Amino acid sequence: FPGTLGNWHGVSYPLEPEVLDSLKLSEYLMVDYSSVDNAAPVNVYMGWYESQRMGAAPHSPRVCIPGGGWEITEFSPAELPFSPASAPLHYNRVIIRKGENRQLVYYWFQGRGRTISNEYLMKWYLLVDALLENRSDGALIRLTTPVVALEPIANADRRLTSLAYLVLPQLPAFIPD
């Protein structure tokens, strides 16, 4: 995956071995992207599963986030528009808090020709595709940025949106349709 996207420069790092054991991933990417134009970095995480059988499947951020000690203070579906000829990206927009720290998170599920924000719909298509196409591969894509003290959430939204527009065109080379 590109280490540079526009004026964003990334540094990748490995997940802890116990986290990898828990997630049962086939492949993953964990990169912190920074830009001189932005007050805070954006973390891009992609966890891909070649097969979502035998207990290997993305952990729902709705469960993982509180499990990490964060409180979900706002959760809403959202969409990122593209050109009129293409469908918008549907994702989940989440504001989380731990003590005085806040973060903004965008996440969605991608694979087998779909991007889906609804976790129940994702499970439905997983079942349908496993039965009809013998496929259960897929990925969880998550972008996260800290909300700097006194920073309006709108600034954090612009930061995530800016990087999302650069990440999305790269995904077809790494996540099979």
Side-chain angles (χ1 to χ4, degrees):
F1 200 82
T4 300
L5 295 167
N7 63 351
W8 293 88
H9 302 284
V11 175
S12 63
Y13 57 94
L15 291 172
E16 302 283 328
E18 58 274 5
V19 172
L20 283 173
D21 289 343
S22 168
L23 294 176
K24 301 178 181 144
L25 296 159
S26 301
E27 294 286 339
Y28 76 94
L29 175 78
M30 181 73 84
V31 179
D32 284 335
Y33 284 95
S34 299
S35 165
V36 294
D37 302 335
N38 289 284
V42 173
N43 174 266
V44 175
Y45 165 79
M46 295 181 219
W48 184 72
Y49 295 83
E50 185 175 4
S51 172
Q52 294 183 63
R53 297 180 178 136
M54 304 297 193
H59 289 77
S60 167
R62 291 179 110 165
V63 174
C64 257
I65 288 169
W70 291 87
E71 173 190 0
I72 295 175
T73 60
E74 190 178 314
F75 184 97
S76 59
E79 66 179 44
L80 194 59
F82 288 101
S83 70
S86 65
L89 169 72
H90 295 274
Y91 63 95
N92 294 304
R93 181 184 177 276
V94 187
I95 299 173
I96 60 176
R97 176 182 298 277
K98 185 191 256 187
E100 295 299 312
N101 298 314
R102 291 185 304 158
Q103 293 187 0
L104 179 62
V105 180
Y106 291 178
Y107 77 89
W108 66 93
F109 303 92
Q110 186 156 336
R112 301 178 321 278
R114 299 181 190 90
T115 55
I116 300 172
S117 61
N118 183 296
E119 295 174 35
Y120 298 108
L121 188 58
M122 185 271 298
K123 293 288 187 189
W124 168 252
Y125 280 119
L126 179 60
L127 175 65
V128 168
D129 292 344
L131 291 172
L132 299 180
E133 298 180 32
N134 197 29
R135 286 186 63 190
S136 65
D137 55 295
L140 168 68
I141 314 294
R142 185 190 71 211
L143 283 68
T144 307
T145 191
V147 180
V148 180
L150 304 176
E151 177 185 32
I153 288 290
N155 289 1
D157 270 309
R158 279 191 290 279
R159 196 163 44 248
L160 286 187
T161 300
S162 157
L163 192 58
Y165 275 118
L166 298 171
V167 165
L168 288 165
Q170 306 299 321
L171 296 180
F174 299 92
I175 299 172
D177 265 351

